[in-house]
Amino acid sequence: MNPLNHVAIIMDGNGRWGLKHKNSRNEGHKTGLKAVEKIIKETIKQKIKYLTLYTFSTENWNRPKKEINFLFKLLENFLSSKINNLNDQNIKLKIIGVKNFSKKLNKLLNFAEKKTSKNNRLQINLALNYGSKNEIINAIKKLNKKKNKINAENLSHNLQTKNIPDPEILIRTGNTKRLSNFLLWQLAYAEIFFEKKLWPDFNEKDYIKIIKKFKSIKRNFGRI
């Protein structure tokens, strides 16, 4: 049976769900948070140690300003109201990406990371203002600056995911089949599951089905 330590998720389809059901993209983002909570619970149940959620990409800045503001407000509210709960559950929060948001949000993110830094039941990596190509370029720049040898091991140690095992599973909801500049280096050997369901409709049963499927796959890593 394949060991499973790390699941990465591209939570696609919130806006489309919102338009379809509530005539508002923002309502979809709101409902999508409920799916996040369900999946966190199930991740703990499955004893998976790392969960990385693609929350906001570097390309998402191209969205309408109103929607971006709503998303960040949603994140602020979520952190303010849920951080104690996450901490009580022994969950660690880590931000990957570039923290250049409002003063209030940056402060909240730093506070959340600091408050939960000693927790070890589950680590949730929030990919915020994250772009994998930038991450890889920055890692190479760091290696050059330190005059370190450029090899796979050194590069991995200079990514924002250093000390985190690579994901064994990538799930993308929303019936879109692409990686969208997400963890390009780290996903080199991940099993990829593209789901037709939009993110707010994705539930524990769908998640468990993927985990079961993953565990039955013969993973060769280039061998026969």
Side-chain angles (χ1 to χ4, degrees):
M1 202 181 276
N2 298 318
L4 179 55
N5 294 304
H6 188 174
V7 175
I9 306 180
I10 300 174
M11 309 176 289
D12 197 10
N14 287 315
R16 282 176 283 157
W17 188 96
L19 287 174
K20 192 176 160 191
H21 295 277
K22 311 265 188 177
N23 212 19
S24 152
R25 286 181 60 83
N26 288 347
E27 284 301 317
H29 295 304
K30 225 180 189 172
T31 311
L33 267 182
K34 289 174 188 161
V36 169
E37 293 189 41
K38 283 179 198 168
I39 296 312
I40 290 172
K41 262 187 196 160
E42 193 54 45
T43 304
I44 290 169
K45 243 190 213 173
Q46 297 285 335
K47 295 186 167 57
I48 296 162
K49 285 289 185 186
Y50 298 90
L51 177 67
T52 301
L53 303 172
Y54 206 9
T55 312
F56 191 86
S57 75
T58 45
E59 290 77 23
N60 285 153
W61 291 107
N62 297 317
R63 291 185 175 190
K65 192 139 178 32
K66 243 180 150 177
E67 185 172 331
I68 292 170
N69 290 341
F70 182 84
L71 277 170
F72 291 151
K73 197 89 205 121
L74 207 58
L75 184 59
E76 278 177 16
N77 293 341
F78 180 79
L79 288 170
S80 305
S81 61
K82 300 286 179 185
I83 196 61
N84 287 331
N85 181 263
L86 292 175
N87 194 42
D88 292 343
Q89 290 182 75
N90 197 12
I91 293 171
K92 178 179 179 175
L93 205 62
K94 180 179 166 60
I95 310 304
I96 61 170
V98 182
K99 280 185 251 173
N100 62 350
F101 308 107
S102 67
K103 246 186 190 165
K104 186 183 177 185
L105 183 53
N106 282 346
K107 208 175 163 183
L108 261 173
L109 292 168
N110 289 331
F111 173 74
E113 283 189 297
K114 206 174 168 186
K115 190 175 175 71
T116 62
S117 63
K118 302 275 192 289
N119 296 342
N120 60 11
R121 189 185 195 182
L122 166 67
Q123 178 169 320
I124 299 173
N125 307 306
L126 284 188
L128 267 178
N129 191 21
Y130 173 85
S132 186
K133 287 183 178 180
N134 283 347
E135 181 190 31
I136 293 165
I137 289 164
N138 288 335
I140 292 166
K141 282 181 181 170
K142 278 185 205 169
L143 289 175
N144 281 333
K145 204 175 172 186
K146 293 189 254 186
K147 295 187 168 55
N148 281 357
K149 200 174 170 186
I150 293 177
N151 59 30
E153 194 186 348
N154 286 347
L155 192 92
S156 289
H157 283 315
N158 283 276
L159 295 172
Q160 296 199 320
T161 51
K162 65 174 180 214
N163 305 325
I164 298 170
D166 289 343
E168 292 92 358
I169 290 178
L170 169 71
I171 300 167
R172 181 174 188 145
T173 57
N175 203 20
T176 304
K177 297 177 175 69
R178 59 172 172 262
L179 295 179
S180 298
N181 197 15
F182 181 52
L183 301 177
L184 301 175
W185 178 272
Q186 298 88 333
L187 291 172
Y189 263 102
E191 303 295 334
I192 300 176
F193 297 87
F194 292 117
E195 278 286 310
K196 280 187 176 165
K197 278 187 176 184
L198 303 174
W199 175 249
D201 290 328
F202 189 76
N203 60 35
E204 303 93 329
K205 279 182 184 168
D206 303 313
Y207 193 32
I208 291 164
K209 211 156 105 189
I210 287 171
I211 291 167
K212 276 186 179 161
K213 203 172 176 188
F214 165 78
K215 290 191 170 170
S216 69
I217 292 169
K218 188 172 182 286
R219 307 187 83 213
N220 295 330
F221 300 103
R223 301 183 298 268
I224 291 172

